[in-house]
Coordinates of all heavy atoms in Angstrom, one line a residue:
M3 N 69.0 -153.0 27.5 CA 69.9 -152.2 28.2 C 69.2 -151.2 29.1 O 68.4 -150.4 28.6 CB 70.8 -151.4 27.2 CG 72.1 -150.9 27.9 SD 73.3 -152.2 28.0 CE 74.8 -151.3 27.9
A4 N 69.4 -151.2 30.3 CA 68.8 -150.2 31.2 C 69.8 -149.6 32.1 O 71.0 -150.0 32.2 CB 67.7 -150.9 32.1
R5 N 69.4 -148.5 32.8 CA 70.3 -147.8 33.6 C 69.9 -147.9 35.1 O 68.8 -147.8 35.4 CB 70.3 -146.3 33.2 CG 71.3 -145.4 33.9 CD 71.1 -144.0 33.5 NE 71.5 -143.7 32.2 CZ 72.7 -143.2 31.8 NH1 73.6 -143.0 32.7 NH2 73.0 -143.0 30.6
C6 N 70.9 -148.2 35.9 CA 70.6 -148.3 37.4 C 70.2 -147.0 37.9 O 70.9 -146.0 37.7 CB 71.9 -148.8 38.1 SG 71.7 -148.8 39.9
E7 N 69.1 -147.0 38.7 CA 68.6 -145.7 39.2 C 69.5 -145.1 40.3 O 69.5 -143.9 40.6 CB 67.3 -146.0 39.9 CG 66.1 -145.6 39.0 CD 64.8 -145.8 39.6 OE1 64.6 -145.4 40.7 OE2 64.0 -146.5 39.0
T8 N 70.3 -146.0 41.0 CA 71.1 -145.5 42.1 C 72.4 -145.0 41.6 O 72.8 -143.8 41.9 CB 71.3 -146.6 43.1 OG1 70.1 -147.1 43.6 CG2 72.2 -146.1 44.3
C9 N 73.1 -145.8 40.8 CA 74.5 -145.4 40.5 C 74.6 -144.9 39.0 O 75.7 -144.4 38.6 CB 75.5 -146.5 40.7 SG 75.3 -147.9 39.7
G10 N 73.6 -145.1 38.2 CA 73.6 -144.6 36.8 C 74.3 -145.5 35.9 O 74.5 -145.2 34.7
N11 N 74.8 -146.7 36.4 CA 75.5 -147.6 35.5 C 74.6 -148.2 34.5 O 73.5 -148.7 34.8 CB 76.0 -148.8 36.4 CG 76.9 -149.8 35.7 OD1 77.5 -149.4 34.7 ND2 76.9 -151.0 36.2
E12 N 75.0 -148.3 33.2 CA 74.2 -148.9 32.2 C 74.7 -150.4 32.1 O 75.9 -150.7 32.0 CB 74.4 -148.2 30.8 CG 73.5 -147.1 30.6 CD 73.5 -146.5 29.2 OE1 74.1 -147.2 28.3 OE2 72.9 -145.5 29.0
Y13 N 73.7 -151.3 32.1 CA 74.1 -152.7 32.3 C 73.0 -153.5 31.6 O 71.8 -153.2 31.6 CB 74.1 -152.9 33.8 CG 74.6 -154.3 34.3 CD1 75.8 -154.8 33.8 CD2 73.9 -155.0 35.3 CE1 76.2 -156.0 34.3 CE2 74.3 -156.2 35.7 CZ 75.5 -156.7 35.2 OH 76.0 -157.9 35.7
D14 N 73.4 -154.6 31.0 CA 72.4 -155.4 30.3 C 71.7 -156.5 31.2 O 70.8 -157.2 30.7 CB 73.1 -156.1 29.1 CG 74.2 -157.1 29.5 OD1 74.5 -157.2 30.7 OD2 74.7 -157.7 28.6
K15 N 72.1 -156.5 32.4 CA 71.4 -157.5 33.3 C 70.7 -156.8 34.5 O 70.7 -157.3 35.6 CB 72.4 -158.6 33.8 CG 72.9 -159.5 32.7 CD 73.8 -160.5 33.2 CE 74.3 -161.4 32.1 NZ 75.3 -160.6 31.2
T16 N 70.2 -155.6 34.3 CA 69.5 -155.0 35.3 C 68.2 -155.7 35.7 O 67.7 -156.5 34.9 CB 69.1 -153.5 35.0 OG1 68.3 -153.6 33.7 CG2 70.3 -152.6 34.8
F17 N 67.7 -155.5 36.9 CA 66.4 -156.1 37.3 C 65.5 -155.0 37.8 O 66.0 -154.0 38.2 CB 66.6 -157.2 38.3 CG 67.3 -156.8 39.6 CD1 66.5 -156.4 40.7 CD2 68.7 -156.7 39.7 CE1 67.1 -155.9 41.8 CE2 69.3 -156.3 40.8 CZ 68.5 -155.9 41.9
D18 N 64.2 -155.3 37.7 CA 63.3 -154.3 38.2 C 62.6 -154.6 39.5 O 62.4 -155.8 39.8 CB 62.1 -154.1 37.1 CG 62.6 -153.6 35.8 OD1 63.7 -153.0 35.8 OD2 61.9 -153.7 34.8
V19 N 62.4 -153.6 40.3 CA 61.7 -153.8 41.5 C 60.5 -152.9 41.5 O 60.6 -151.7 41.2 CB 62.5 -153.5 42.8 CG1 61.7 -153.6 44.1 CG2 63.8 -154.3 42.8
V20 N 59.3 -153.4 41.7 CA 58.1 -152.6 41.7 C 57.7 -152.4 43.2 O 57.4 -153.3 43.9 CB 56.9 -153.3 40.9 CG1 55.7 -152.4 41.0 CG2 57.3 -153.5 39.5
M21 N 57.6 -151.1 43.6 CA 57.3 -150.8 44.9 C 56.2 -149.7 44.9 O 56.5 -148.6 44.2 CB 58.5 -150.4 45.7 CG 58.3 -150.3 47.2 SD 59.8 -149.9 48.1 CE 60.3 -151.5 48.6
D22 N 55.1 -149.9 45.6 CA 54.0 -148.9 45.5 C 53.7 -148.5 44.1 O 53.4 -147.3 43.8 CB 54.5 -147.6 46.3 CG 54.7 -147.9 47.8 OD1 54.0 -148.8 48.3 OD2 55.6 -147.3 48.4
G23 N 53.7 -149.5 43.2 CA 53.2 -149.2 41.9 C 54.3 -148.6 41.0 O 54.0 -148.3 39.8
R24 N 55.4 -148.3 41.5 CA 56.5 -147.6 40.7 C 57.6 -148.6 40.4 O 58.0 -149.4 41.3 CB 57.1 -146.5 41.5 CG 56.2 -145.3 41.5 CD 56.8 -144.2 42.4 NE 56.4 -142.9 42.0 CZ 57.1 -141.8 42.2 NH1 58.3 -141.9 42.8 NH2 56.6 -140.6 41.9
R25 N 58.0 -148.6 39.2 CA 59.1 -149.6 38.8 C 60.4 -148.9 38.9 O 60.6 -147.8 38.4 CB 58.8 -150.0 37.3 CG 59.7 -151.0 36.8 CD 59.3 -151.5 35.4 NE 58.0 -152.1 35.4 CZ 57.8 -153.4 35.6 NH1 58.9 -154.2 35.7 NH2 56.6 -153.9 35.5
H26 N 61.4 -149.6 39.5 CA 62.7 -149.1 39.6 C 63.7 -150.1 39.0 O 63.5 -151.3 39.1 CB 63.1 -149.0 41.1 CG 62.1 -148.1 41.9 ND1 62.3 -146.7 42.0 CD2 61.0 -148.3 42.5 CE1 61.3 -146.2 42.7 NE2 60.5 -147.2 43.0
S27 N 64.7 -149.7 38.3 CA 65.7 -150.6 37.7 C 67.0 -150.4 38.4 O 67.5 -149.3 38.7 CB 65.9 -150.2 36.2 OG 64.7 -150.4 35.5
F28 N 67.6 -151.6 38.7 CA 68.9 -151.6 39.4 C 69.9 -152.6 38.7 O 69.5 -153.6 38.1 CB 68.8 -152.0 40.9 CG 67.8 -151.0 41.6 CD1 66.5 -151.4 41.9 CD2 68.3 -149.8 41.9 CE1 65.7 -150.5 42.5 CE2 67.4 -148.9 42.6 CZ 66.1 -149.3 42.9
D29 N 71.2 -152.3 38.9 CA 72.2 -153.3 38.4 C 72.7 -154.2 39.5 O 73.4 -155.2 39.2 CB 73.4 -152.5 37.8 CG 74.1 -151.7 38.8 OD1 73.6 -151.4 39.9 OD2 75.2 -151.2 38.5
S30 N 72.3 -154.0 40.7 CA 72.8 -154.8 41.8 C 71.8 -154.7 43.0 O 71.1 -153.7 43.1 CB 74.2 -154.4 42.2 OG 74.1 -153.2 42.8
F31 N 71.9 -155.7 43.9 CA 71.0 -155.6 45.1 C 71.5 -154.5 46.0 O 70.7 -153.9 46.7 CB 71.1 -157.0 45.8 CG 70.1 -158.0 45.2 CD1 70.6 -159.0 44.5 CD2 68.8 -157.8 45.4 CE1 69.7 -159.9 43.9 CE2 67.9 -158.8 44.9 CZ 68.3 -159.8 44.1
E32 N 72.8 -154.3 46.0 CA 73.3 -153.2 46.8 C 72.7 -151.9 46.4 O 72.3 -151.1 47.3 CB 74.9 -153.1 46.6 CG 75.5 -152.1 47.6 CD 77.0 -152.1 47.4 OE1 77.5 -152.7 46.5 OE2 77.6 -151.4 48.2
C33 N 72.6 -151.6 45.1 CA 71.9 -150.4 44.7 C 70.5 -150.4 45.0 O 69.9 -149.3 45.4 CB 72.2 -150.2 43.2 SG 73.9 -149.8 42.8
A34 N 69.8 -151.5 44.9 CA 68.4 -151.6 45.2 C 68.1 -151.3 46.7 O 67.2 -150.5 47.1 CB 67.8 -153.0 44.8
V35 N 69.0 -151.9 47.5 CA 68.9 -151.7 49.0 C 69.1 -150.2 49.3 O 68.4 -149.6 50.1 CB 69.9 -152.6 49.7 CG1 70.1 -152.1 51.1 CG2 69.4 -154.0 49.7
H36 N 70.1 -149.6 48.7 CA 70.4 -148.3 48.9 C 69.2 -147.3 48.7 O 68.9 -146.4 49.4 CB 71.6 -147.9 48.1 CG 72.1 -146.4 48.3 ND1 72.9 -146.1 49.4 CD2 71.9 -145.3 47.7 CE1 73.1 -144.8 49.4 NE2 72.5 -144.3 48.3
M37 N 68.5 -147.6 47.6 CA 67.4 -146.8 47.1 C 66.1 -147.1 47.9 O 65.4 -146.2 48.2 CB 67.2 -147.0 45.6 CG 66.1 -146.2 45.0 SD 66.4 -144.4 44.8 CE 67.6 -144.4 43.4
L38 N 65.9 -148.4 48.1 CA 64.5 -148.8 48.5 C 64.4 -149.3 50.0 O 63.2 -149.3 50.5 CB 64.0 -149.9 47.6 CG 63.9 -149.5 46.1 CD1 63.4 -150.7 45.3 CD2 62.9 -148.4 45.9
A39 N 65.4 -149.8 50.6 CA 65.2 -150.4 51.9 C 64.9 -149.3 52.9 O 65.4 -148.2 52.9 CB 66.5 -151.1 52.3
P40 N 63.9 -149.6 53.7 CA 63.5 -148.7 54.8 C 64.6 -148.6 55.8 O 65.5 -149.4 55.9 CB 62.3 -149.2 55.4 CG 62.3 -150.7 55.1 CD 63.1 -150.8 53.8
V41 N 64.6 -147.5 56.6 CA 65.6 -147.3 57.6 C 65.0 -147.4 59.0 O 63.9 -146.9 59.3 CB 66.3 -145.9 57.4 CG1 67.2 -145.5 58.6 CG2 67.0 -145.8 56.1
C42 N 65.7 -148.1 59.9 CA 65.3 -148.2 61.3 C 65.1 -146.9 61.9 O 66.1 -146.1 61.9 CB 66.2 -149.1 62.1 SG 65.8 -149.3 63.8
T43 N 64.0 -146.7 62.5 CA 63.7 -145.4 63.2 C 64.6 -145.1 64.4 O 65.0 -144.0 64.7 CB 62.2 -145.3 63.6 OG1 61.4 -145.6 62.5 CG2 61.9 -143.9 64.2
H44 N 65.0 -146.2 65.0 CA 65.9 -146.1 66.2 C 67.3 -146.0 65.9 O 68.0 -145.0 66.3 CB 65.6 -147.3 67.1 CG 66.4 -147.2 68.4 ND1 66.2 -146.2 69.3 CD2 67.4 -148.0 68.8 CE1 67.1 -146.4 70.3 NE2 67.8 -147.4 70.0
C45 N 67.9 -147.0 65.2 CA 69.4 -147.0 65.0 C 69.8 -146.5 63.6 O 71.0 -146.3 63.4 CB 69.9 -148.4 65.3 SG 69.5 -149.6 64.0
G46 N 68.9 -146.3 62.7 CA 69.2 -145.8 61.4 C 69.8 -146.7 60.4 O 70.2 -146.3 59.3
C47 N 69.9 -148.0 60.8 CA 70.5 -149.0 59.8 C 69.4 -149.4 58.8 O 68.2 -149.3 59.0 CB 71.0 -150.2 60.5 SG 69.8 -151.3 61.2
R48 N 69.8 -149.9 57.6 CA 68.9 -150.3 56.6 C 68.2 -151.6 57.1 O 68.9 -152.5 57.6 CB 69.7 -150.7 55.3 CG 70.4 -149.5 54.7 CD 69.5 -148.7 53.8 NE 70.1 -147.4 53.5 CZ 69.4 -146.4 53.0 NH1 68.1 -146.5 52.7 NH2 70.0 -145.3 52.7
I49 N 66.9 -151.7 56.9 CA 66.2 -152.9 57.3 C 66.2 -153.9 56.1 O 65.5 -153.6 55.1 CB 64.7 -152.5 57.7 CG1 64.8 -151.5 58.9 CG2 64.0 -153.8 58.1 CD1 63.5 -151.0 59.2
L50 N 66.9 -155.0 56.2 CA 67.0 -156.0 55.2 C 66.2 -157.2 55.5 O 65.9 -158.0 54.6 CB 68.5 -156.3 54.9 CG 69.4 -155.1 54.6 CD1 70.8 -155.6 54.3 CD2 68.8 -154.4 53.3
G51 N 65.9 -157.4 56.7 CA 65.1 -158.6 57.1 C 63.6 -158.2 57.2 O 63.2 -157.3 56.6
H52 N 62.9 -159.0 58.1 CA 61.5 -158.7 58.2 C 61.2 -157.4 58.9 O 60.3 -156.7 58.5 CB 60.9 -159.8 59.1 CG 60.9 -161.2 58.4 ND1 62.0 -162.0 58.3 CD2 59.9 -161.8 57.7 CE1 61.7 -163.1 57.6 NE2 60.4 -163.0 57.3
G53 N 62.1 -157.0 59.8 CA 61.8 -155.8 60.5 C 60.6 -155.9 61.4 O 60.0 -156.9 61.5
V54 N 60.4 -154.9 62.2 CA 59.2 -154.8 63.1 C 58.5 -153.5 62.9 O 59.1 -152.5 62.8 CB 59.7 -154.9 64.6 CG1 58.6 -154.8 65.5 CG2 60.5 -156.2 64.8
E55 N 57.2 -153.6 62.8 CA 56.4 -152.4 62.5 C 55.5 -152.2 63.7 O 54.7 -153.0 64.2 CB 55.5 -152.6 61.3 CG 54.9 -151.3 60.8 CD 54.2 -151.4 59.5 OE1 54.5 -152.3 58.7 OE2 53.3 -150.5 59.3
V56 N 55.6 -151.0 64.3 CA 54.8 -150.6 65.5 C 54.1 -149.3 65.1 O 54.8 -148.3 64.9 CB 55.6 -150.5 66.7 CG1 54.7 -150.1 67.9 CG2 56.4 -151.7 67.0
D57 N 52.8 -149.3 65.1 CA 52.1 -148.0 64.8 C 52.6 -147.4 63.5 O 52.9 -146.2 63.5 CB 52.2 -147.0 66.0 CG 51.5 -147.6 67.2 OD1 50.6 -148.4 67.1 OD2 52.0 -147.2 68.3
S58 N 52.8 -148.2 62.5 CA 53.3 -147.8 61.2 C 54.7 -147.2 61.2 O 55.1 -146.5 60.3 CB 52.4 -146.9 60.4 OG 51.3 -146.5 61.0
V59 N 55.4 -147.4 62.3 CA 56.8 -147.0 62.3 C 57.7 -148.3 62.3 O 57.4 -149.2 62.9 CB 57.1 -146.2 63.6 CG1 58.6 -145.9 63.7 CG2 56.3 -145.0 63.7
L60 N 58.7 -148.2 61.4 CA 59.5 -149.4 61.2 C 60.8 -149.4 62.0 O 61.5 -148.4 62.2 CB 59.9 -149.5 59.7 CG 58.9 -150.1 58.8 CD1 59.3 -149.8 57.3 CD2 58.7 -151.5 59.0
Y61 N 61.1 -150.6 62.5 CA 62.4 -150.8 63.2 C 63.1 -152.1 62.6 O 62.4 -152.9 62.1 CB 62.1 -151.1 64.7 CG 61.4 -149.9 65.4 CD1 60.0 -150.0 65.5 CD2 62.1 -148.8 65.8 CE1 59.3 -148.9 66.1 CE2 61.4 -147.7 66.4 CZ 60.0 -147.8 66.5 OH 59.3 -146.8 67.0
C62 N 64.4 -152.1 62.8 CA 65.1 -153.3 62.2 C 64.9 -154.6 63.0 O 65.0 -155.7 62.5 CB 66.6 -153.0 62.1 SG 67.4 -152.8 63.7
C63 N 64.6 -154.4 64.3 CA 64.4 -155.6 65.2 C 63.6 -155.2 66.4 O 63.4 -154.0 66.7 CB 65.8 -156.1 65.6 SG 66.7 -154.9 66.6
A64 N 63.1 -156.2 67.1 CA 62.3 -156.0 68.3 C 63.1 -155.2 69.4 O 62.5 -154.4 70.1 CB 61.8 -157.3 68.9
H65 N 64.4 -155.4 69.4 CA 65.2 -154.7 70.4 C 65.1 -153.2 70.2 O 64.9 -152.4 71.1 CB 66.6 -155.2 70.3 CG 67.5 -154.5 71.3 ND1 67.6 -154.8 72.6 CD2 68.4 -153.5 71.1 CE1 68.4 -154.0 73.2 NE2 69.0 -153.2 72.3
C66 N 65.2 -152.7 69.0 CA 65.1 -151.3 68.7 C 63.7 -150.8 69.0 O 63.6 -149.7 69.5 CB 65.4 -151.1 67.2 SG 67.2 -151.0 66.9
A67 N 62.7 -151.5 68.7 CA 61.3 -151.1 69.0 C 61.2 -150.9 70.5 O 60.5 -150.0 71.0 CB 60.3 -152.1 68.4
Q68 N 61.7 -151.8 71.3 CA 61.6 -151.8 72.7 C 62.4 -150.6 73.3 O 62.0 -150.0 74.3 CB 62.1 -153.1 73.3 CG 60.9 -154.1 73.2 CD 61.5 -155.6 73.4 OE1 62.6 -155.8 73.6 NE2 60.6 -156.5 73.2
E69 N 63.5 -150.3 72.6 CA 64.3 -149.2 73.1 C 63.6 -147.9 73.1 O 63.8 -147.0 73.9 CB 65.6 -149.0 72.2 CG 66.6 -150.0 72.4 CD 67.4 -149.8 73.6 OE1 67.9 -148.7 73.8 OE2 67.5 -150.8 74.4
V70 N 62.6 -147.7 72.2 CA 61.8 -146.5 72.1 C 60.5 -146.6 72.8 O 59.6 -145.8 72.7 CB 61.6 -146.0 70.7 CG1 63.0 -145.6 70.1 CG2 60.9 -147.0 69.8
G71 N 60.3 -147.7 73.6 CA 59.2 -147.8 74.4 C 58.0 -148.6 73.9 O 57.0 -148.7 74.6
A72 N 58.1 -149.2 72.7 CA 57.0 -150.0 72.2 C 56.9 -151.3 73.0 O 57.9 -151.9 73.3 CB 57.2 -150.3 70.7
E73 N 55.7 -151.6 73.4 CA 55.6 -152.8 74.3 C 54.9 -154.0 73.5 O 54.2 -153.8 72.6 CB 54.7 -152.4 75.5 CG 55.5 -151.5 76.4 CD 54.7 -151.2 77.7 OE1 53.7 -151.9 77.9 OE2 55.1 -150.3 78.4
G74 N 55.2 -155.1 74.0 CA 54.6 -156.3 73.5 C 55.1 -156.7 72.1 O 54.5 -157.3 71.3
V75 N 56.4 -156.2 71.8 CA 56.9 -156.4 70.4 C 57.7 -157.7 70.4 O 58.6 -157.9 71.2 CB 57.8 -155.2 70.0 CG1 58.4 -155.5 68.6 CG2 56.9 -154.0 70.0
R76 N 57.5 -158.5 69.4 CA 58.3 -159.7 69.2 C 58.8 -159.7 67.8 O 58.2 -159.2 66.9 CB 57.4 -161.0 69.3 CG 56.9 -161.2 70.7 CD 57.6 -162.5 71.2 NE 57.1 -162.8 72.6 CZ 56.1 -163.5 72.9 NH1 55.3 -164.0 71.9 NH2 55.7 -163.7 74.2
D77 N 60.0 -160.2 67.7 CA 60.6 -160.3 66.4 C 59.8 -161.3 65.5 O 59.6 -162.4 65.8 CB 62.0 -160.9 66.5 CG 63.1 -160.0 65.9 OD1 62.8 -159.5 64.8 OD2 64.1 -159.9 66.5
R78 N 59.2 -160.7 64.4 CA 58.3 -161.5 63.6 C 59.0 -162.8 63.0 O 58.4 -163.8 62.9 CB 57.8 -160.6 62.4 CG 56.4 -160.9 62.1 CD 56.0 -160.0 60.9 NE 55.8 -158.6 61.3 CZ 55.7 -157.7 60.4 NH1 55.6 -157.9 59.1 NH2 55.5 -156.4 60.8
A79 N 60.3 -162.6 62.7 CA 61.0 -163.7 62.1 C 61.2 -164.9 63.1 O 61.4 -166.0 62.6 CB 62.3 -163.3 61.6
H80 N 61.1 -164.6 64.4 CA 61.4 -165.7 65.3 C 60.2 -166.1 66.1 O 60.3 -166.9 67.0 CB 62.5 -165.2 66.3 CG 63.7 -164.8 65.6 ND1 64.5 -165.6 64.9 CD2 64.3 -163.6 65.5 CE1 65.5 -164.9 64.4 NE2 65.4 -163.7 64.8
S81 N 59.0 -165.6 65.7 CA 57.8 -165.9 66.5 C 57.1 -167.1 66.1 O 56.1 -167.5 66.7 CB 56.9 -164.6 66.5 OG 56.4 -164.4 65.2
H82 N 57.5 -167.7 65.0 CA 56.8 -169.0 64.6 C 57.8 -169.9 63.9 O 59.0 -169.6 63.8 CB 55.6 -168.7 63.7 CG 56.0 -167.8 62.5 ND1 56.2 -168.3 61.3 CD2 56.1 -166.5 62.4 CE1 56.5 -167.3 60.5 NE2 56.4 -166.2 61.1
Ligands
ZN373 ZN1 73.8 -149.4 40.6
ZN374 ZN1 67.5 -150.7 64.6

């Protein structure tokens, strides 16, 4: 029995996500996303896909990266 870090729900089927060496327990993917998914620097949405990283800044897609002037950015998921 573990407790979800996001909503505090005690649940017997929680799962753990290890990120940067820290273990987090959640009862659902929705809670894991809420706590751990990075946020697009441009539009503020949660990045659930590959995302695009430019100069260590994360964007949800190549379009957002280009909106802020990053050049030569391709969507990683579609480049191969
Ligand atoms: Zn939860
Ligand atoms: Zn975005």
Side-chain angles (χ1 to χ4, degrees):
M3 199 79 151
R5 186 185 289 265
C6 173
E7 262 181 51
T8 301
C9 68
N11 184 30
E12 274 191 10
Y13 188 49
D14 62 358
K15 293 183 184 66
T16 54
F17 59 94
D18 292 344
V19 177
V20 178
M21 194 178 260
D22 295 328
R24 287 177 153 202
R25 184 177 297 272
H26 304 270
S27 299
F28 301 104
D29 62 346
S30 67
F31 279 105
E32 185 179 8
C33 287
V35 162
H36 183 79
M37 178 77 72
L38 299 177
V41 171
C42 175
T43 307
H44 179 67
C45 70
C47 71
R48 298 270 168 200
I49 301 171
L50 303 181
H52 292 78
V54 177
E55 189 175 339
V56 183
D57 297 330
S58 7
V59 178
L60 279 167
Y61 304 95
C62 65
C63 60
H65 179 77
C66 278
Q68 280 159 4
E69 286 285 308
V70 295
E73 288 184 12
V75 178
R76 289 249 179 90
D77 237 317
R78 217 182 289 171
H80 304 295
S81 63
H82 54 98

